[in-house]
Amino acid sequence: MSTLPEWPPNISQPELEYLTKLATTYALSHGLLYLPPHLPSGPPPPTQAPSSAIHAPLSIFPSPFPRELFERAQRLQSVYNVLYARIAQDAEFLDRVMGAEVGAGRVDVFTGELWKIWKNLRDDGIEQELQLGIFRSDYLLHVPDESSPMTLKQVEFNTISSSFGALSERVSALHNHLYASTGYFNSSPHLKRENFPPNRTTAGIVDGLVAAHEAYGVKDARILFVVQAGERNVFDQRWLEYELLEKHSIHIIRQTLSELSISAHLSPTRSLLISPSPQFPTNPSTTTEISTVYFRAAYTPTDFPTPQHFSTRALLERSRATKCPSIQLQLAGGKMVQMMLTKEGVLERFLTTGGETWEAGRGFTFGEVEVREVRESWVGMWGLGDSPPADSDIQSGISRAAANHANLVLKPQREGGGNNVYKSSIPPFLDKLPGREREAWIAMELIEPPAGVCGWLVRAGGGGGSGGGGVVKSDIVSELGIFGWSLFGPGRDVNKNGNERVMKTGDGGWLVRTKGRESDEGGVAVGFSVLDSVVLVD
């Protein structure tokens, strides 16, 4: 397939207004929500109880996506689940690529601080037991020219705070509801039940958290959600909390790093304990043991405004609770790791090498087919700090980026959106980038999404006006995210005596974020995208 169907289907203005009313009403009724923007004059977010909500940004129609490539993305996730678990267990590789002595952490202060925490733990002889990764692999469709077939290309791989899982399931349900209610007014032969793929993201992500909690083996322990103060995307997190409690009887504690700097401490056996606090009256009156630390924060420097915040992260890491992710798994999600995997032989080493090195992956073997499909999902990448061999005419990383800037994006070791540099902005950025800092950036060839696809997009809280005024038709680009999880490491199997290597993986559903083609960035939380789903086309 080289083209997608003409999109969106033609409908009348009254039909659009009716679909918009159904969509926003459904979203508000089914928890597809955001907290409204915080007023500077109001109480600070941590102490303000929510009194209102707005619907999340959403699309009226699901976006077309080739069935074969959607299924390939799902198939690839099982490989990625194991690949990044193995990377996280290779200290030598991560030290070289992300460390503060020779890797990206040497010039990226935030990355370097995280690596130092991990290095200090190793120097003290503390090994992580089980580690949990809740992952999301993001893809765009790629059509480099009119004569080329459409392919699937990875944008990035997320190892920390992989968000919008629960809300993505609800926007899928929303589009199913619009179809069930109206048939989308018979506007397209593609809009039929069998082309709406199932999406069980909430239960899939919770399966990973439950596996980690049960492996810890303490019945009354709780899962700790480490969250950001003033989080607007709180409902995406709350749906996971409700699923854990209602389906699995597992209780949650939510605290920020600032709150944990007061409440968290370790027992002599390194159990993570949370002291009771009057701020959290639903917590037990006694100290609570934590089985699993689930980070929905700590991925950006703004989460660490003081040295105390890094000390708190170190305390959590020192505990024997399962971290999601551990620092080493967070480092494995760095852009420099993504780039290094594209180099000859590196991916093969992680996926096809046998023996004791990959004891944690026992039973998870991959061959040439899986390696080829993973490699085919990548575009070209290189480090800005790359230097050519003395006898080579290959350009340095920086000069190569300057010469090819019109087809590139530059990426730092950051998550959360809004950090990249695109196209014509690259040359002046390179002119001002200090030489030493180049080692913390990668250059990545731009993915060329198919042209001619449009959509009706509704901004957050913007669909309630009369006449459908909150809906905008735009040329769009849709990014598919596939969730998965992996529990791995030298942990205690509760069904057996003694310790052994553990590896469990699972699927976690999918997410679509759609943006106007004029926007380079793709973050929903920072206002660039809307939540969407897919209609599969052949």
Side-chain angles (χ1 to χ4, degrees), residues 206-214 218-225 240-253 291-292:
V206 165
D207 283 347
L209 292 167
V210 170
H213 175 81
E214 291 180 345
V218 176
K219 180 180 178 182
D220 295 328
R222 298 191 172 199
I223 294 178
L224 172 66
F225 281 29
L240 302 178
E241 177 180 341
Y242 303 151
E243 181 89 2
L244 283 162
L245 181 60
E246 295 166 8
K247 301 291 180 62
H248 304 279
S249 300
I250 299 173
H251 289 263
I252 301 303
I253 294 176
S291 68
T292 306

Side-chain angles (χ1 to χ4, degrees), residues 2 8 39 62 76 109 229 273 306 319 327 340 365 439 451 490 504 517:
S2 58
L39 296 175
L76 283 174
V109 174
L273 306 175
T306 71
S319 77
I327 282 181
M340 286 296 297
T365 57
E439 297 178 29
K504 298 178 181 178
R517 183 174 287 272

Side-chain angles (χ1 to χ4, degrees), residues 28 33-36 50-55 235:
L28 292 167
L33 301 173
Y34 264 17
L35 290 181
S51 59
S52 62
I54 57 176
H55 67 73
F235 299 99

Side-chain angles (χ1 to χ4, degrees), residues 255-502:
Q255 291 195 12
T256 65
L257 283 173
S258 295
E259 291 160 345
L260 288 165
S261 68
I262 299 171
S263 65
H265 59 281
L266 301 184
S267 76
T269 59
R270 294 194 296 112
S271 297
L272 177 59
L273 306 175
I274 305 297
S275 299
S277 168
Q279 288 182 289
F280 303 97
T282 60
N283 287 357
S285 58
T286 57
T287 297
T288 304
E289 184 171 356
I290 298 300
S291 68
T292 306
V293 182
Y294 176 41
F295 286 99
R296 291 297 291 260
Y299 55 83
T300 175
T302 56
D303 288 336
F304 296 86
T306 71
Q308 179 61 47
H309 289 77
F310 281 108
S311 296
T312 301
R313 177 68 195 268
L315 182 143
L316 299 178
E317 208 71 19
R318 188 172 290 271
S319 77
R320 68 182 189 90
T322 299
K323 269 70 68 178
C324 179
S326 65
I327 282 181
Q328 57 264 50
L329 186 53
Q330 181 174 347
L331 292 172
K335 303 300 185 295
M336 198 63 69
V337 170
Q338 184 183 6
M339 182 274 294
M340 286 296 297
L341 287 172
T342 67
K343 294 184 178 294
E344 184 177 356
V346 177
L347 175 66
E348 290 77 4
R349 172 173 170 256
F350 283 107
L351 287 185
T352 63
T353 300
E356 293 182 357
T357 304
W358 304 129
E359 185 182 357
R362 189 172 56 231
F364 294 87
T365 57
F366 303 105
E368 294 181 0
V369 172
E370 290 87 357
V371 170
R372 185 185 72 250
E373 287 193 338
V374 170
R375 283 201 174 277
E376 287 174 351
S377 72
W378 295 339
V379 294
M381 285 175 263
W382 64 88
L384 294 190
D386 284 356
S387 299
D391 59 348
S392 172
D393 59 359
I394 298 174
Q395 293 175 299
S396 68
I398 201 80
S399 59
R400 186 179 174 191
N404 297 279
H405 68 270
N407 298 306
L408 295 179
V409 55
L410 304 185
K411 295 185 175 184
Q413 312 304 307
R414 290 286 184 274
E415 300 296 338
N419 301 300
N420 300 332
V421 182
Y422 291 85
K423 301 181 183 177
S424 61
S425 299
I426 291 176
F429 175 80
L430 293 178
D431 288 341
K432 297 179 181 179
L433 184 66
R436 188 166 179 262
E437 292 185 16
R438 296 171 181 175
E439 297 178 29
W441 289 77
I442 71 163
M444 179 176 177
E445 294 176 355
L446 284 172
I447 302 168
E448 297 294 341
V453 182
C454 296
W456 290 104
L457 311 181
V458 187
R459 68 183 183 274
S466 61
V471 188
V472 176
K473 188 176 183 180
S474 176
D475 291 337
I476 61 171
V477 173
S478 294
E479 185 172 304
L480 173 68
I482 304 293
F483 290 92
W485 61 268
S486 181
L487 180 68
F488 59 94
R492 179 172 62 87
D493 189 324
V494 297
N495 298 316
K496 298 180 181 179
N497 296 322
N499 295 334
E500 65 171 25
R501 294 298 238 182
V502 174

